[in-house]
Amino acid sequence: MTDGQREAGGRAGTVRPRSPRRHRVMQQGRIVLGPDTLLPCVVRDLSPAGAKIVLSRPIPLPASFDLVIAAHDLRTVSVRLRWQRGEVAGVRFAPAGDPAP
């Protein structure tokens, strides 16, 4: 299927949109927890919609925070926590102008 993929269970005609393509990366990052608190992390998967990040140890993350990504440029993006399992977490980039809760 070119514009979507079938739901688990194989129901014919049930289609969900394909998520944006993820790229495996290994970039240094910093989670901004406050004006003087930065938590180092590694950005592992990156897509236009979000990223997978890995912390050095399991630390509960807030529902939203800024993420600094050091690639060939340095950028800061506002993100929303989607899931967290131990030291690995998935975040979704917040739309531009979307205020943090």
Side-chain angles (χ1 to χ4, degrees):
M1 204 169 268
T2 58
D3 59 357
Q5 51 190 176
R6 292 187 193 280
E7 291 269 344
R11 287 189 225 176
T14 304
V15 177
R16 63 182 170 154
R18 182 168 285 166
S19 60
R21 187 173 203 63
R22 289 178 287 181
H23 299 281
R24 290 192 183 274
V25 296
M26 189 172 218
Q27 299 170 341
Q28 294 300 313
R30 297 286 183 270
I31 296 168
V32 181
L33 295 177
D36 298 322
T37 308
L38 297 175
L39 183 64
C41 67
V42 176
V43 179
R44 294 304 306 256
D45 288 344
L46 194 58
S47 79
K52 179 168 72 172
I53 58 175
V54 180
L55 305 164
S56 60
R57 65 188 200 287
I59 297 172
L61 296 174
S64 64
F65 52 90
D66 286 338
L67 176 65
V68 179
I69 302 174
H72 50 271
D73 61 347
L74 185 66
R75 63 183 171 142
T76 302
V77 291
S78 293
V79 298
R80 305 285 182 262
L81 183 66
R82 300 290 291 176
W83 56 268
Q84 184 173 7
R85 292 180 197 95
E87 67 274 351
V88 181
V91 296
R92 184 170 213 39
F93 299 139
D98 188 18

